[in-house]
Amino acid sequence: MKVIQLFKNETKLITRAANNNRAAQEELYRKYSGKMLSVCRMYIKDLHHAEEVMLKGFFKVFKHISSFKNEGSFEGWVRKIMIREAISFLRSKKDIEFAEEVFEDSNQSFNNINSGIEVEHIQKLIDSLPEGYKVVFVMYAIEGYKHQEISKMLNITEGTSKSQLFKARKMLQEKLNTQSISDYGTVKI
Amino acid sequence: MGQLKFERKFSEKLKERVIAPKPGSWEELSARLDSEEKRKNPIFWWIGIAATIIGGILIFGSFFNEPVPNNPEVVNVPVEIPEQKENRIQKNASEKAKPHEIAFEENKEIIETPASKKTLKASEEQKASQRENKSAVVSVNKNIRVQDPILEPEIIVAGVPEILQTNQDAIEEVLLREHSGNVKDAEVDALLAEAGSQLNKNREQKAFSVKITANDLLWDLEMEMEASFREKVFEVVKDGYLKARTAVVNRNNSF
């Protein structure tokens, strides 16, 4: 009952925001800005830039909120806008590069490291990845996009997307392994 | 290739993460939204202003394009051939003269009616109509004189008032008698016949009287001039001949 009530409330809020009600817009912003800044931060290393991208994303959200048909979750819709905005930002900075490589499905298996590391550390690991690897990894491993969707959004081939993910995983695995060796006995594994 | 275990952990932890934006970020966003609305509004304003201006122009245009009744309209006049023009002038002249002709014809009818009365049976109704005609003729003639003073008096005078003057007494007498009811057909016929004979006499007199027109005078003068010139030529030739003859005689004498 509570979930239905919340959904109804959110629908009303969205309707009011679509009618340029600033209070409703502010309420939606306060509700989702923290999460959306986190999304932007996953792609963009610099927090200020991430925040700028988030504001641009929210600006687009409120500009096109009337086109939201309440068919899916509002949060998912806003998140998608944020990801697109972040990719657009990276493209504008020319930071993002995807090496056109043929993906060879090697039999290399990744160790399932039961990571008990903190979120800040995870972010640092992700930040250490090259932009191309990072974007594909975040989209696939964190956001749950499929290679087909990633290839369309980034305008790359599916093979490139797969190879980028493979290399990102390998890199992270190596870093996690090195970390576990150096922090022997101190890091929760 | 599905999600790895560490990836799932990463995803869970990162999705739970919340980063608070810097204070005043909403105000910044709100200001951007306001400026966007303001930017939208001027477009509507400009559209409204443009529509008003266009409407104004159309209204003023239609107002000024309306034909002014005081100004004469420019009409394409077809070029007339001189012959047509002459014909038209003649027509106009004939039209101008028409009322008098009508009046004159009406008078004629009045005067000539006694002659034709032998064939037509005189009745009381006809008499009444004749009386109406007579009075109408008088009034028409008077009106013509008053209304159309530009016309030459010669044309107006041509016969009509003369007849009226000559027969005025007789007409008045007839009218008085008619009023009293003592008029006889024979008397009327006699009077009308007398008026007719007088009119004929006048016409004959006019026909016999010599008319001197400007053209005739001009013609006579030209003839005279021509004659004098011929005489002068003859005189010059004559003088020359005489001089030559005397000179020849003198020469012969000297030898």
Coordinates of all heavy atoms in Angstrom, one line a residue, chain B residues 79-155:
Chain B
V79 N -9.0 55.6 -78.3 CA -8.7 56.6 -79.2 C -9.7 56.7 -80.3 O -10.0 55.6 -80.9 CB -7.3 56.4 -79.8 CG1 -6.9 57.5 -80.8 CG2 -6.2 56.3 -78.7
E80 N -10.3 57.8 -80.5 CA -11.3 57.9 -81.5 C -10.8 58.3 -82.9 O -9.9 59.2 -83.0 CB -12.3 59.0 -81.0 CG -13.2 58.5 -79.9 CD -14.2 59.6 -79.5 OE1 -14.4 60.5 -80.3 OE2 -14.9 59.4 -78.5
I81 N -11.4 57.8 -83.8 CA -11.0 58.2 -85.2 C -11.7 59.5 -85.5 O -12.9 59.7 -85.1 CB -11.5 57.1 -86.2 CG1 -10.9 55.8 -85.8 CG2 -11.2 57.5 -87.6 CD1 -11.6 54.6 -86.4
P82 N -11.1 60.4 -86.1 CA -11.6 61.8 -86.4 C -13.0 61.7 -87.0 O -13.9 62.5 -86.6 CB -10.7 62.4 -87.3 CG -9.4 61.6 -87.2 CD -9.7 60.3 -86.6
E83 N -13.3 60.7 -87.8 CA -14.6 60.7 -88.5 C -15.7 60.4 -87.4 O -16.7 61.0 -87.4 CB -14.6 59.5 -89.5 CG -13.9 59.9 -90.8 CD -13.8 58.7 -91.7 OE1 -14.6 57.7 -91.5 OE2 -13.0 58.7 -92.7
Q84 N -15.3 59.5 -86.5 CA -16.3 59.2 -85.4 C -16.6 60.4 -84.6 O -17.7 60.7 -84.2 CB -15.7 58.1 -84.5 CG -15.8 56.7 -85.2 CD -15.2 55.6 -84.3 OE1 -14.5 56.0 -83.3 NE2 -15.4 54.4 -84.7
K85 N -15.5 61.1 -84.3 CA -15.6 62.3 -83.5 C -16.6 63.3 -84.2 O -17.4 63.9 -83.5 CB -14.2 63.0 -83.4 CG -13.9 63.2 -81.9 CD -12.5 63.8 -81.8 CE -12.1 63.9 -80.3 NZ -10.8 64.5 -80.2
E86 N -16.3 63.5 -85.5 CA -17.2 64.4 -86.2 C -18.6 64.0 -86.2 O -19.5 64.8 -85.9 CB -16.7 64.5 -87.7 CG -15.5 65.4 -87.8 CD -14.9 65.3 -89.2 OE1 -15.6 64.8 -90.1 OE2 -13.8 65.8 -89.4
N87 N -18.8 62.7 -86.4 CA -20.2 62.2 -86.3 C -20.8 62.5 -85.0 O -22.0 62.8 -84.9 CB -20.2 60.7 -86.5 CG -19.9 60.3 -88.0 OD1 -20.1 61.1 -88.8 ND2 -19.3 59.1 -88.2
R88 N -20.0 62.3 -83.9 CA -20.5 62.5 -82.6 C -20.9 63.9 -82.4 O -21.9 64.3 -81.8 CB -19.5 62.1 -81.5 CG -20.0 62.0 -80.1 CD -19.1 61.3 -79.2 NE -18.9 59.9 -79.5 CZ -18.1 59.1 -78.8 NH1 -17.3 59.6 -77.9 NH2 -18.0 57.8 -79.1
I89 N -20.1 64.8 -82.9 CA -20.3 66.3 -82.7 C -21.6 66.6 -83.5 O -22.5 67.3 -82.9 CB -19.2 67.1 -83.3 CG1 -17.9 66.9 -82.4 CG2 -19.5 68.6 -83.4 CD1 -16.6 67.2 -83.1
Q90 N -21.8 66.0 -84.6 CA -23.0 66.2 -85.4 C -24.2 65.7 -84.6 O -25.3 66.4 -84.5 CB -22.9 65.5 -86.7 CG -22.1 66.3 -87.7 CD -21.9 65.6 -89.0 OE1 -22.3 64.4 -89.1 NE2 -21.1 66.2 -89.9
K91 N -24.0 64.5 -84.0 CA -25.1 63.9 -83.2 C -25.5 64.9 -82.1 O -26.7 65.1 -81.9 CB -24.7 62.6 -82.7 CG -25.2 61.4 -83.4 CD -24.8 60.1 -82.7 CE -25.2 58.9 -83.4 NZ -24.9 57.7 -82.7
N92 N -24.5 65.3 -81.4 CA -24.7 66.2 -80.2 C -25.5 67.4 -80.7 O -26.4 67.9 -80.0 CB -23.4 66.6 -79.6 CG -22.8 65.5 -78.8 OD1 -23.6 64.6 -78.4 ND2 -21.5 65.5 -78.6
A93 N -25.1 68.0 -81.8 CA -25.7 69.2 -82.3 C -27.2 68.9 -82.6 O -28.1 69.7 -82.3 CB -25.0 69.6 -83.6
S94 N -27.4 67.7 -83.2 CA -28.8 67.4 -83.6 C -29.6 67.1 -82.3 O -30.8 67.5 -82.2 CB -28.8 66.1 -84.4 OG -28.3 65.0 -83.7
E95 N -28.9 66.5 -81.3 CA -29.6 66.3 -80.0 C -30.0 67.6 -79.4 O -31.1 67.8 -78.8 CB -28.8 65.5 -79.1 CG -28.9 64.0 -79.4 CD -27.8 63.2 -78.6 OE1 -27.2 63.7 -77.7 OE2 -27.7 62.0 -78.9
K96 N -29.0 68.6 -79.5 CA -29.3 69.9 -78.9 C -30.5 70.6 -79.5 O -31.3 71.2 -78.9 CB -28.1 70.8 -79.0 CG -27.1 70.7 -77.9 CD -26.0 71.7 -78.0 CE -25.0 71.6 -76.9 NZ -23.9 72.5 -77.0
A97 N -30.5 70.4 -80.8 CA -31.6 71.0 -81.6 C -32.9 70.3 -81.5 O -33.9 70.8 -81.8 CB -31.2 71.2 -83.0
K98 N -32.9 69.1 -81.0 CA -34.0 68.2 -81.0 C -35.3 68.8 -80.3 O -36.3 68.8 -80.8 CB -33.7 66.9 -80.4 CG -33.7 65.8 -81.4 CD -33.4 64.4 -80.8 CE -33.3 63.4 -81.9 NZ -33.0 62.1 -81.4
P99 N -35.1 69.3 -79.0 CA -36.3 69.8 -78.3 C -37.0 70.9 -79.2 O -38.3 70.9 -79.2 CB -35.7 70.5 -77.1 CG -34.3 70.0 -76.9 CD -33.9 69.4 -78.2
H100 N -36.3 71.7 -79.9 CA -36.9 72.7 -80.7 C -37.7 72.1 -81.9 O -38.8 72.5 -82.2 CB -35.9 73.7 -81.2 CG -35.0 74.2 -80.1 ND1 -35.5 75.0 -79.1 CD2 -33.7 73.9 -79.8 CE1 -34.5 75.2 -78.2 NE2 -33.4 74.6 -78.7
E101 N -37.0 71.1 -82.4 CA -37.6 70.4 -83.5 C -38.9 69.8 -83.1 O -39.9 69.8 -83.8 CB -36.7 69.4 -84.1 CG -35.5 70.0 -84.9 CD -34.6 68.9 -85.4 OE1 -34.9 67.7 -85.2 OE2 -33.5 69.3 -85.8
I102 N -38.8 69.2 -81.9 CA -40.0 68.5 -81.4 C -41.1 69.5 -81.2 O -42.2 69.3 -81.7 CB -39.7 67.8 -80.1 CG1 -38.8 66.6 -80.3 CG2 -41.0 67.3 -79.4 CD1 -38.0 66.2 -79.1
A103 N -40.7 70.6 -80.6 CA -41.7 71.7 -80.4 C -42.3 72.1 -81.7 O -43.5 72.3 -81.8 CB -41.0 72.8 -79.6
F104 N -41.4 72.3 -82.7 CA -41.8 72.8 -84.0 C -42.8 71.8 -84.6 O -43.8 72.2 -85.1 CB -40.6 73.0 -84.8 CG -40.9 73.7 -86.1 CD1 -41.3 75.1 -86.1 CD2 -40.9 73.0 -87.3 CE1 -41.6 75.7 -87.3 CE2 -41.2 73.7 -88.5 CZ -41.5 75.0 -88.5
E105 N -42.4 70.5 -84.5 CA -43.3 69.5 -85.1 C -44.6 69.5 -84.4 O -45.6 69.3 -85.1 CB -42.6 68.1 -85.0 CG -41.6 67.9 -86.1 CD -40.7 66.7 -85.8 OE1 -41.1 65.9 -85.0 OE2 -39.7 66.5 -86.6
E106 N -44.6 69.6 -83.1 CA -45.8 69.6 -82.4 C -46.7 70.8 -82.9 O -47.9 70.6 -83.0 CB -45.6 69.7 -80.9 CG -45.2 68.4 -80.3 CD -44.8 68.5 -78.8 OE1 -44.7 69.6 -78.3 OE2 -44.5 67.4 -78.2
N107 N -46.0 71.9 -83.1 CA -46.8 73.1 -83.6 C -47.4 72.8 -84.9 O -48.5 73.1 -85.2 CB -45.8 74.3 -83.7 CG -45.7 75.0 -82.3 OD1 -46.7 75.0 -81.6 ND2 -44.6 75.6 -82.1
K108 N -46.5 72.1 -85.7 CA -47.0 71.8 -87.1 C -48.2 70.9 -87.0 O -49.2 71.2 -87.7 CB -45.9 70.9 -87.8 CG -45.0 71.7 -88.7 CD -44.1 70.8 -89.4 CE -43.2 71.5 -90.4 NZ -42.3 70.6 -91.1
E109 N -48.2 70.0 -86.0 CA -49.3 69.1 -85.9 C -50.6 70.0 -85.5 O -51.6 69.8 -86.1 CB -49.1 68.1 -84.7 CG -48.4 66.9 -85.2 CD -48.1 65.9 -84.1 OE1 -48.9 66.0 -83.1 OE2 -47.2 65.1 -84.2
I110 N -50.3 70.9 -84.6 CA -51.5 71.7 -84.2 C -52.0 72.5 -85.4 O -53.2 72.6 -85.6 CB -51.0 72.7 -83.1 CG1 -50.6 72.0 -81.9 CG2 -52.2 73.7 -82.7 CD1 -49.6 72.8 -81.0
I111 N -51.0 73.0 -86.2 CA -51.5 73.8 -87.3 C -52.1 72.9 -88.4 O -53.1 73.3 -89.0 CB -50.3 74.6 -87.8 CG1 -49.9 75.6 -86.7 CG2 -50.6 75.4 -89.1 CD1 -48.4 76.0 -86.8
E112 N -51.4 71.8 -88.6 CA -51.8 71.0 -89.8 C -53.0 70.1 -89.4 O -53.6 69.5 -90.3 CB -50.6 70.1 -90.2 CG -49.6 71.0 -91.0 CD -48.3 70.2 -91.2 OE1 -48.2 69.0 -90.9 OE2 -47.4 70.9 -91.7
T113 N -53.3 70.0 -88.2 CA -54.4 69.1 -87.8 C -55.7 69.5 -88.5 O -56.5 68.6 -88.9 CB -54.7 69.1 -86.3 OG1 -54.5 70.4 -85.8 CG2 -53.9 68.1 -85.6
P114 N -56.1 70.7 -88.8 CA -57.3 71.0 -89.5 C -57.3 70.3 -90.9 O -58.4 69.9 -91.3 CB -57.3 72.5 -89.7 CG -56.3 73.0 -88.7 CD -55.4 71.9 -88.4
A115 N -56.2 70.3 -91.5 CA -56.1 69.7 -92.9 C -56.4 68.2 -92.8 O -57.1 67.7 -93.7 CB -54.8 69.9 -93.5
S116 N -55.9 67.6 -91.8 CA -56.1 66.1 -91.7 C -57.4 65.8 -91.0 O -57.7 64.6 -90.9 CB -54.9 65.5 -90.9 OG -54.8 66.1 -89.7
K117 N -58.0 66.8 -90.5 CA -59.2 66.6 -89.7 C -60.4 66.1 -90.5 O -61.3 65.5 -90.0 CB -59.7 67.9 -89.0 CG -59.7 67.6 -87.5 CD -60.2 68.8 -86.7 CE -60.3 68.4 -85.3 NZ -60.8 69.5 -84.5
K118 N -60.3 66.3 -91.8 CA -61.3 65.9 -92.7 C -61.4 64.4 -92.7 O -62.4 63.7 -92.8 CB -61.1 66.4 -94.1 CG -61.3 67.9 -94.2 CD -60.9 68.4 -95.5 CE -61.1 70.0 -95.6 NZ -60.6 70.5 -96.8
T119 N -60.2 63.8 -92.6 CA -60.1 62.3 -92.6 C -60.5 61.8 -91.2 O -61.1 60.7 -91.1 CB -58.7 61.8 -93.0 OG1 -57.8 62.5 -92.2 CG2 -58.5 62.1 -94.5
L120 N -60.1 62.5 -90.2 CA -60.4 62.0 -88.9 C -61.6 62.6 -88.4 O -61.9 63.8 -88.5 CB -59.2 62.4 -87.9 CG -57.9 61.8 -88.2 CD1 -56.8 62.5 -87.4 CD2 -57.9 60.3 -87.8
K121 N -62.4 61.8 -87.8 CA -63.7 62.3 -87.2 C -63.4 63.0 -85.9 O -62.8 62.5 -85.0 CB -64.6 61.1 -86.9 CG -65.2 60.5 -88.2 CD -66.2 59.4 -87.9 CE -66.7 58.8 -89.2 NZ -67.7 57.7 -88.9
A122 N -63.9 64.3 -85.9 CA -63.7 65.1 -84.7 C -64.6 64.6 -83.6 O -65.8 64.5 -83.8 CB -63.9 66.5 -85.0
S123 N -64.1 64.4 -82.5 CA -64.9 64.0 -81.4 C -64.5 64.8 -80.2 O -63.5 65.5 -80.2 CB -64.6 62.5 -81.0 OG -63.3 62.3 -80.7
E124 N -65.3 64.7 -79.2 CA -65.0 65.5 -78.0 C -63.7 65.1 -77.3 O -62.9 66.0 -76.8 CB -66.1 65.3 -77.0 CG -67.5 65.9 -77.4 CD -67.4 67.5 -77.4 OE1 -66.7 68.0 -76.6 OE2 -68.0 68.0 -78.3
E125 N -63.4 63.8 -77.4 CA -62.1 63.4 -76.8 C -60.9 63.9 -77.5 O -59.9 64.4 -76.9 CB -62.0 61.8 -76.8 CG -63.0 61.2 -75.8 CD -63.1 59.7 -75.9 OE1 -62.4 59.2 -76.8 OE2 -63.9 59.1 -75.2
Q126 N -61.0 63.9 -78.8 CA -59.9 64.4 -79.6 C -59.7 65.9 -79.4 O -58.5 66.4 -79.3 CB -60.2 64.2 -81.1 CG -59.9 62.8 -81.5 CD -60.3 62.5 -83.0 OE1 -61.1 63.2 -83.6 NE2 -59.7 61.4 -83.5
K127 N -60.8 66.6 -79.2 CA -60.7 68.0 -79.0 C -59.9 68.2 -77.7 O -59.1 69.1 -77.6 CB -62.1 68.6 -78.9 CG -62.7 68.9 -80.2 CD -64.1 69.5 -80.0 CE -64.8 69.6 -81.4 NZ -66.2 70.0 -81.2
A128 N -60.4 67.5 -76.7 CA -59.7 67.6 -75.4 C -58.2 67.3 -75.5 O -57.4 68.1 -75.0 CB -60.3 66.6 -74.4
S129 N -57.9 66.3 -76.3 CA -56.4 66.0 -76.4 C -55.7 67.1 -77.2 O -54.6 67.5 -76.9 CB -56.3 64.7 -77.2 OG -56.7 64.8 -78.5
Q130 N -56.4 67.7 -78.2 CA -55.8 68.8 -78.9 C -55.6 70.0 -78.0 O -54.5 70.6 -78.0 CB -56.8 69.2 -80.0 CG -56.7 68.3 -81.3 CD -57.7 68.7 -82.3 OE1 -58.5 69.6 -82.1 NE2 -57.6 68.0 -83.4
R131 N -56.6 70.2 -77.2 CA -56.4 71.3 -76.2 C -55.2 71.1 -75.3 O -54.4 72.0 -75.1 CB -57.7 71.4 -75.3 CG -58.6 72.5 -75.7 CD -59.8 72.6 -74.8 NE -60.8 71.6 -75.2 CZ -61.5 70.9 -74.4 NH1 -61.4 70.9 -73.1 NH2 -62.5 70.1 -74.9
E132 N -55.0 69.8 -74.9 CA -53.9 69.5 -74.1 C -52.6 69.7 -74.9 O -51.6 70.3 -74.3 CB -53.9 68.0 -73.6 CG -54.9 67.8 -72.5 CD -55.1 66.4 -72.1 OE1 -54.4 65.5 -72.7 OE2 -56.0 66.1 -71.3
N133 N -52.6 69.3 -76.1 CA -51.4 69.5 -77.0 C -51.1 71.0 -77.1 O -49.9 71.3 -77.0 CB -51.7 68.9 -78.4 CG -51.6 67.4 -78.4 OD1 -50.9 66.9 -77.5 ND2 -52.2 66.8 -79.3
K134 N -52.1 71.8 -77.3 CA -51.9 73.2 -77.5 C -51.2 73.8 -76.3 O -50.2 74.5 -76.4 CB -53.2 73.9 -77.7 CG -53.7 73.8 -79.1 CD -55.1 74.4 -79.2 CE -55.8 73.9 -80.5 NZ -57.2 74.3 -80.4
S135 N -51.8 73.5 -75.2 CA -51.2 74.1 -73.9 C -49.8 73.5 -73.7 O -48.9 74.2 -73.2 CB -52.1 73.7 -72.7 OG -52.3 72.3 -72.6
A136 N -49.7 72.2 -74.1 CA -48.3 71.6 -73.9 C -47.3 72.3 -74.8 O -46.2 72.6 -74.3 CB -48.4 70.1 -74.2
V137 N -47.7 72.6 -76.0 CA -46.8 73.3 -76.9 C -46.4 74.6 -76.4 O -45.2 75.0 -76.4 CB -47.4 73.4 -78.3 CG1 -46.6 74.4 -79.2 CG2 -47.6 72.1 -79.0
V138 N -47.3 75.3 -75.9 CA -47.0 76.7 -75.3 C -46.0 76.5 -74.2 O -45.0 77.2 -74.1 CB -48.3 77.4 -74.9 CG1 -48.0 78.7 -74.2 CG2 -49.2 77.6 -76.1
S139 N -46.4 75.6 -73.3 CA -45.5 75.5 -72.1 C -44.1 75.0 -72.5 O -43.1 75.4 -72.0 CB -46.1 74.5 -71.1 OG -46.2 73.2 -71.7
V140 N -44.1 74.1 -73.5 CA -42.8 73.5 -73.9 C -41.9 74.6 -74.5 O -40.7 74.8 -74.2 CB -43.0 72.4 -75.0 CG1 -41.7 72.1 -75.7 CG2 -43.5 71.1 -74.3
N141 N -42.5 75.5 -75.4 CA -41.8 76.5 -76.0 C -41.2 77.5 -74.9 O -40.1 78.0 -75.0 CB -42.6 77.3 -77.0 CG -42.7 76.5 -78.3 OD1 -41.7 75.9 -78.7 ND2 -43.9 76.5 -78.9
K142 N -42.1 77.8 -74.0 CA -41.7 78.7 -72.9 C -40.5 78.2 -72.1 O -39.5 78.8 -71.8 CB -42.8 79.1 -72.0 CG -43.7 80.1 -72.5 CD -44.9 80.3 -71.6 CE -45.9 81.3 -72.3 NZ -47.1 81.4 -71.5
N143 N -40.7 76.9 -71.8 CA -39.6 76.2 -71.1 C -38.3 76.2 -71.8 O -37.3 76.4 -71.2 CB -40.0 74.7 -70.8 CG -41.1 74.7 -69.7 OD1 -41.2 75.6 -68.9 ND2 -41.9 73.7 -69.7
I144 N -38.4 75.9 -73.1 CA -37.2 75.9 -73.9 C -36.4 77.2 -73.8 O -35.2 77.3 -73.6 CB -37.5 75.5 -75.3 CG1 -37.9 74.1 -75.4 CG2 -36.3 75.8 -76.2 CD1 -38.7 73.7 -76.6
R145 N -37.2 78.3 -73.9 CA -36.5 79.6 -73.9 C -35.9 79.9 -72.5 O -34.8 80.5 -72.5 CB -37.6 80.7 -74.2 CG -37.9 80.7 -75.7 CD -38.8 81.9 -76.0 NE -39.0 82.0 -77.4 CZ -39.7 83.0 -77.9 NH1 -40.2 83.9 -77.2 NH2 -39.9 83.0 -79.2
V146 N -36.6 79.4 -71.5 CA -36.1 79.7 -70.2 C -34.9 78.8 -69.9 O -33.9 79.3 -69.4 CB -37.2 79.6 -69.1 CG1 -36.6 79.8 -67.7 CG2 -38.2 80.6 -69.4
Q147 N -35.1 77.5 -70.2 CA -34.1 76.6 -69.7 C -32.8 76.6 -70.6 O -31.7 76.3 -70.1 CB -34.7 75.2 -69.8 CG -35.6 74.9 -68.7 CD -36.3 73.6 -68.8 OE1 -36.1 72.9 -69.8 NE2 -37.2 73.3 -67.9
D148 N -32.9 76.9 -71.8 CA -31.7 76.8 -72.7 C -31.4 78.1 -73.3 O -31.6 78.4 -74.5 CB -32.1 75.8 -73.8 CG -30.8 75.1 -74.3 OD1 -29.7 75.5 -73.9 OD2 -31.0 74.1 -75.0
P149 N -30.8 79.0 -72.6 CA -30.5 80.4 -73.1 C -29.3 80.4 -74.0 O -29.0 81.3 -74.7 CB -30.3 81.2 -71.9 CG -29.8 80.2 -70.8 CD -30.4 78.9 -71.2
I150 N -28.5 79.3 -74.0 CA -27.2 79.2 -74.8 C -27.6 79.1 -76.2 O -26.8 79.5 -77.1 CB -26.4 78.0 -74.3 CG1 -26.1 78.2 -72.8 CG2 -25.0 78.0 -75.1 CD1 -25.7 76.9 -72.1
L151 N -28.7 78.5 -76.5 CA -29.0 78.2 -77.9 C -29.2 79.5 -78.7 O -29.7 80.5 -78.1 CB -30.3 77.4 -78.0 CG -30.1 75.9 -77.5 CD1 -31.5 75.3 -77.4 CD2 -29.2 75.2 -78.4
E152 N -28.9 79.5 -79.9 CA -29.1 80.7 -80.7 C -30.6 81.1 -80.8 O -31.4 80.2 -81.1 CB -28.5 80.5 -82.1 CG -27.0 80.4 -82.1 CD -26.4 80.0 -83.4 OE1 -27.1 80.2 -84.4 OE2 -25.3 79.6 -83.4
P153 N -30.9 82.3 -80.7 CA -32.3 82.7 -80.7 C -32.9 82.5 -82.1 O -34.1 82.4 -82.2 CB -32.3 84.2 -80.3 CG -30.9 84.6 -80.5 CD -30.0 83.5 -80.3
E154 N -32.0 82.5 -83.1 CA -32.5 82.3 -84.5 C -33.2 81.0 -84.7 O -34.3 80.9 -85.3 CB -31.4 82.4 -85.5 CG -30.8 83.8 -85.7 CD -29.5 83.8 -86.5 OE1 -29.2 82.8 -87.1 OE2 -28.9 84.9 -86.5
I155 N -32.6 80.0 -84.0 CA -33.2 78.7 -84.2 C -34.5 78.6 -83.4 O -35.5 78.0 -83.9 CB -32.2 77.6 -83.6 CG1 -30.9 77.7 -84.3 CG2 -32.8 76.2 -83.7 CD1 -29.7 77.0 -83.6

